[in-house]
Amino acid sequence: MRFGTDGVRGVANTELTAEFALRLGRAAARVLGGDGVRSVIVGGDTRVSTPMLDAALSAGFASEGIDVVRLGVVPTPMVAFVAQRLRAMGAMVSASHNQYHDNGIKLFAAGGTKLSDDVEAAIEQELDALQTPVVQPGTIFPVDGSHAADYVDHVSQIATSGGTGGSRIVVDAANGAAYRLAREVFERIGADVVLVGDAPNGTNINDGCGATAPDALAVAVRQHGADLGIALDGDADRLIAVDHTGAIVDGDHIIAICALDMRSRGLLHHGAVAVTTMTNLGFHLAMRDAGINVVTTDVGDRYVLEALAAQGLALGGEQSGHVIFADRATTGDGMLTGVALVDIVARSGRSLADLATSAMTSLPQVLVNVKVAQRVPDAVELLHDEVTRAETELRGLGRILVRASGTEPLIRVMVEAPTAEQAETVAAELAAVVRRRFA
């Protein structure tokens, strides 16, 4: 196995095995454990395979002399938060938004930062060259729940309004890593919380719930007469919101709302925001009209993080709901973003629906995920001629993006056009080409 867009990911116990997790822990310890860093923070989500992989990964780190601080079932951003506070490495066992039969391992360098391509390559090289360890083994400590209170404090402190006025919020924890903490976080800022997706059984993570299935949240918001809804994904590093009418508010709109708010308060460093190539063209047009510069990166929150660090920016993210407040966190955090969004609603006195509508207007966008026989990392090059022909149909009034998934055997075809009908037609034509060539 090799690193993808965000860590390593595959079918648990088939592709991602306990043996591999053990070796990955050893290799990561050797590459990341320099400069006196001799401890790692390990968390996981609610998948049935997570305890097995957690144990194997922890054993790998310990066999290389690294002490393992285990947090149990916690969100990915909490792992990064504790790693930052303790200047330790971090590891999260989770396949994020994938279904339960998949699992993955996300690694953080000392201080809770994402890994660069070069560091990932070094770990892969070390995987191929492992020898029997000859060091004093580290200690694997019992699950430590003492960091949860500090993390809840950290997340809730982004709110500056002094309370939500008792707003009713539905929070969907996706039967995932935040199911124990979500209520506490949003009640801390004064919300009346209706919690759903909080009964994990090992196989129901992301199953018809959470950020990958926000329609269930929309129904709950309307049923409970809530002001808005927050849908986290399986490891709670991203969110999708729903307004009081049940309309979905995606990551592009959330970032636009936050960018405008931060700019008004003098918090948007250099008057710019970083997003990926998947971001809707409507976002770019709205930011241009608002006088906010947009930095565009490859798909993946780690590339957004690199751009934020390189240019000293405060805000960035992805359409999928990864939103990064660089002054407050080293990674995307769904609950932190949710609190920020609720706070903006409270301070503005406006509904989320009103804020989202005024922040930007999305061009019709169609995304087709085509399952292929195996991963095709050079899909862009192989489909260049077909994409060029499709772009001529749009006459410069839209946008086409074709890319291979970094975590699954999928090729993603995204088309934006002046009308939904045109976007659907062009996307269907390109998807058919992909199926013929690679399925």
Side-chain angles (χ1 to χ4, degrees):
M1 295 189 68
R2 290 294 184 260
F3 284 93
T5 304
D6 195 6
V8 296
R9 197 175 300 185
V11 179
N13 217 30
T14 301
E15 297 173 327
L16 183 56
T17 63
E19 291 83 359
F20 177 82
L22 178 79
R23 294 174 60 244
L24 181 61
R26 291 182 57 197
R30 294 186 177 193
V31 174
L32 303 177
D35 298 327
V37 178
R38 307 310 297 167
S39 62
V40 61
I41 312 302
V42 178
D45 66 19
T46 56
R47 294 164 212 268
V48 67
S49 61
T50 291
M52 172 190 73
L53 295 172
D54 183 321
L57 181 69
S58 297
F61 276 111
S63 72
E64 295 291 333
I66 302 297
D67 291 336
V68 180
V69 178
R70 299 175 62 234
L71 302 183
V73 176
V74 297
T76 293
M78 181 171 163
V79 172
F81 168 74
V82 177
Q84 181 184 33
R85 295 191 68 192
L86 301 184
R87 293 299 304 167
M89 296 173 280
M92 178 71 179
V93 181
S94 174
S96 188
H97 59 278
N98 288 31
Q99 295 298 302
Y100 84 92
H101 45 69
D102 291 340
N103 215 326
I105 297 172
K106 301 181 181 184
L107 296 173
F108 296 92
T113 59
K114 294 269 188 174
L115 307 186
S116 67
D117 290 341
D118 290 342
V119 171
E120 289 183 344
I123 294 174
E124 290 177 346
Q125 185 175 12
E126 190 65 44
L127 273 167
D128 296 331
L130 282 172
Q131 302 295 325
T132 302
V134 293
V135 299
Q136 178 70 24
T139 300
I140 299 178
F141 294 100
V143 171
D144 185 353
S146 65
H147 298 286
D150 290 337
Y151 175 69
V152 171
D153 286 343
H154 159 71
V155 170
S156 60
Q157 284 170 2
I158 197 171
T160 61
S161 62
T164 67
S167 297
R168 175 167 288 187
I169 301 170
V170 180
V171 181
D172 183 347
N175 292 317
Y179 83 100
R180 290 172 176 159
L181 293 178
R183 181 183 296 280
E184 184 176 357
V185 164
F186 288 96
E187 286 185 345
R188 178 70 63 86
I189 63 170
D192 173 14
V193 178
V194 177
L195 186 62
V196 298
D198 62 335
N201 62 15
T203 64
N204 62 355
I205 187 171
N206 300 315
D207 186 8
C209 59
T212 56
D215 289 345
L217 175 65
V219 171
V221 166
R222 291 192 296 267
Q223 285 178 341
H224 292 278
D227 297 285
L228 59 93
I230 301 292
L232 305 170
D233 72 336
D235 67 338
D237 67 349
R238 66 174 180 164
L239 86 163
I240 295 295
V242 169
D243 68 25
H244 70 283
T245 71
I248 292 170
V249 180
D250 66 10
D252 287 349
H253 283 81
I254 293 168
I255 297 166
I257 292 168
C258 292
L260 294 169
D261 176 73
M262 291 174 66
R263 197 268 304 273
S264 72
R265 295 189 290 149
L267 301 177
L268 193 69
H269 303 334
H270 306 296
V273 61
V275 296
T276 76
T277 55
M278 290 295 290
T279 295
N280 192 278
L281 181 58
F283 177 91
H284 292 268
L285 298 176
M287 294 300 99
R288 182 197 65 189
D289 291 345
I292 295 174
N293 295 321
V294 178
V295 176
T296 303
T297 77
D298 289 338
V299 175
D301 61 337
R302 64 189 174 121
Y303 298 116
V304 175
L305 280 159
E306 289 174 2
L308 296 177
Q311 303 195 34
L313 306 183
L315 178 68
E318 299 184 284
Q319 184 184 76
S320 60
H322 286 114
V323 182
I324 303 158
F325 295 89
D327 290 343
R328 293 182 175 270
T330 61
T331 189
D333 187 330
M335 288 196 290
L336 182 74
T337 304
V339 170
L341 192 61
V342 172
D343 183 58
I344 293 172
V345 170
R347 282 189 286 103
S348 68
R350 300 164 65 187
S351 69
L352 177 58
D354 184 27
L355 288 168
T357 300
S358 62
M360 63 168 282
T361 300
S362 294
L363 265 70
Q365 183 184 84
V366 174
L367 176 62
V368 181
N369 293 321
V370 183
K371 192 168 185 178
V372 293
Q374 58 187 12
R375 293 178 184 172
V376 188
D378 54 348
V380 175
E381 292 79 8
L382 295 174
L383 295 167
H384 175 269
D385 292 345
E386 290 87 348
V387 171
T388 300
R389 283 194 293 270
E391 286 175 335
T392 62
E393 296 182 33
L394 299 178
R395 299 185 180 89
L397 300 176
R399 192 166 66 105
I400 296 173
L401 178 66
V402 175
R403 73 177 188 91
S405 169
T407 59
E408 301 172 85
L410 298 174
I411 293 179
R412 307 189 193 279
V413 177
M414 188 274 286
V415 178
E416 291 171 346
T419 68
E421 181 180 8
Q422 189 175 16
E424 290 169 359
T425 299
V426 175
E429 291 172 351
L430 278 175
V433 171
V434 172
R435 291 189 186 95
R436 286 197 300 270
R437 293 189 59 177
F438 304 113

